Amino acid sequence: SIGSKRPLPQPSGSDEAMPAASSERRMRAIRRPLQICAVLGLCLTALQQAVQLFLSPRQPEPIVQRRQLLAGSGLGILSMAPSAALAYETYSDVNVGYEFKFPTGPQKSTNKGYDVFLRDIIEPLEFIGLKVTKTERNSLDDVGSPQEVAEKLLKDIVPAGAPQEIIAVNSKTDDLGHRIDTVEFAYQWKFDEALARQLGRKKFQLHCKALISVARNKQFLLQIASEENRWEYRGDDYQVAIDTFKFSY
């Protein structure tokens, strides 16, 4: 009859599975584009890294070839390019009272013109040299202006008659009150006969930078040098000696 109550039909097991299956299909449909995007993102990142590696600056080819050529001809010991990341050592003399840093690579050697001499094992004109001499001067002020100091320096260390140029002159006072001048210069000269035969050329152009100061009745001259065609690279490496030189008292 109309008023009688019938029990409502209970859902069967198959009816319960249908919404669940439909929900799972929708989730797969959502996840698939996301997975594709993730894979494309990884591929794009890998491509960008490969392009950066290909376009990253490399050491100029002539320097590498130069070192390999010298080593292969018996004029050098190593046939490897310099490391991009330089490590540094510290040279100090507590008795005289100074220190400076220099890149690993230059080897300690002897040179009658310097108290400390560090030279490249392949390039004969690349070096870091420190010379300490006694003086009656109390400061560079006793010599004159920075320009006058530069002119006297070149007169003392550049061979007479060599074409020369003063590139830059700077002066500063350190924390202990010492005046310190730096002079950048270049000059042309000729190799001795033995080295000329070894290198196959007679002349060279040397690019140099020197730090000069007077302290405790001693004159300090710290010089870095390289041939002109290598100064762009080697000058930057050796500049650390000039930048880190300091008196300990």
Side-chain angles (χ1 to χ4, degrees), residues 145-200:
S145 67
Q147 183 65 30
E148 290 173 324
V149 169
E151 293 171 356
K152 179 172 177 52
L153 175 66
L154 267 66
K155 185 177 180 180
D156 289 343
I157 66 177
V158 174
Q164 58 190 262
E165 175 190 7
I166 296 176
I167 300 171
V169 179
N170 293 285
S171 184
K172 68 177 183 179
T173 302
D174 69 5
D175 295 337
L176 298 175
H178 303 111
R179 172 181 156 186
I180 299 176
D181 290 2
T182 56
V183 182
E184 185 175 355
F185 60 98
Y187 68 92
Q188 296 177 358
W189 198 233
K190 54 188 176 181
F191 293 110
D192 59 48
E193 292 184 5
L195 196 53
R197 286 195 302 270
Q198 188 180 31
L199 297 177

Side-chain angles (χ1 to χ4, degrees), residues 113-177:
Y114 297 89
D115 296 281
V116 180
F117 193 71
L118 307 166
R119 61 177 295 271
D120 187 89
I121 60 176
I122 294 176
E123 301 292 340
L125 297 180
E126 292 183 4
F127 68 87
I128 301 171
L130 175 71
K131 182 178 183 179
V132 182
T133 55
K134 293 182 179 180
T135 181
E136 295 182 357
R137 300 186 180 105
N138 296 313
S139 166
L140 287 180
D141 295 338
D142 297 335
V143 180
S145 67
Q147 183 65 30
E148 290 173 324
V149 169
E151 293 171 356
K152 179 172 177 52
L153 175 66
L154 267 66
K155 185 177 180 180
D156 289 343
I157 66 177
V158 174
Q164 58 190 262
E165 175 190 7
I166 296 176
I167 300 171
V169 179
N170 293 285
S171 184
K172 68 177 183 179
T173 302
D174 69 5
D175 295 337
L176 298 175

Side-chain angles (χ1 to χ4, degrees), residues 11-224:
S12 64
S14 59
D15 293 333
E16 291 178 343
M18 290 178 63
S22 177
S23 176
E24 185 177 352
R25 283 195 297 272
R26 286 196 300 270
M27 291 301 296
R28 283 202 300 266
I30 293 173
R31 286 197 299 266
R32 186 173 295 110
L34 295 177
Q35 291 171 345
I36 293 173
C37 290
V39 171
L40 290 176
L42 290 174
C43 293
L44 180 59
T45 300
L47 180 60
Q48 290 174 338
Q49 291 175 347
V51 171
Q52 290 174 356
L53 180 62
F54 179 76
L55 297 178
S56 62
R58 294 176 295 178
Q59 183 182 358
E61 192 65 18
I63 294 180
V64 178
Q65 291 179 349
R66 163 76 170 156
R67 287 181 166 261
Q68 292 173 342
L69 177 61
L70 288 176
S73 62
L75 301 183
I77 298 175
L78 299 179
S79 59
M80 57 185 294
S83 172
L86 294 176
Y88 298 99
E89 299 181 43
T90 300
Y91 189 96
S92 64
D93 188 324
V94 295
N95 295 320
V96 182
Y98 68 87
E99 70 174 50
F100 64 90
K101 295 184 184 297
F102 63 95
T104 57
Q107 301 297 304
K108 295 179 181 178
S109 183
T110 56
N111 185 299
K112 61 182 180 180
Y114 297 89
D115 296 281
V116 180
F117 193 71
L118 307 166
R119 61 177 295 271
D120 187 89
I121 60 176
I122 294 176
E123 301 292 340
L125 297 180
E126 292 183 4
F127 68 87
I128 301 171
L130 175 71
K131 182 178 183 179
V132 182
T133 55
K134 293 182 179 180
T135 181
E136 295 182 357
R137 300 186 180 105
N138 296 313
S139 166
L140 287 180
D141 295 338
D142 297 335
V143 180
S145 67
Q147 183 65 30
E148 290 173 324
V149 169
E151 293 171 356
K152 179 172 177 52
L153 175 66
L154 267 66
K155 185 177 180 180
D156 289 343
I157 66 177
V158 174
Q164 58 190 262
E165 175 190 7
I166 296 176
I167 300 171
V169 179
N170 293 285
S171 184
K172 68 177 183 179
T173 302
D174 69 5
D175 295 337
L176 298 175
H178 303 111
R179 172 181 156 186
I180 299 176
D181 290 2
T182 56
V183 182
E184 185 175 355
F185 60 98
Y187 68 92
Q188 296 177 358
W189 198 233
K190 54 188 176 181
F191 293 110
D192 59 48
E193 292 184 5
L195 196 53
R197 286 195 302 270
Q198 188 180 31
L199 297 177
R201 54 193 174 97
K202 295 181 179 181
K203 296 182 179 180
F204 64 87
Q205 180 166 323
L206 200 65
H207 196 131
C208 310
K209 184 176 284 190
L211 175 152
I212 185 169
S213 186
V214 173
R216 302 180 300 278
N217 297 116
K218 292 182 177 63
Q219 179 175 285
F220 295 80
L221 172 64
L222 176 62
Q223 183 180 349
I224 63 175

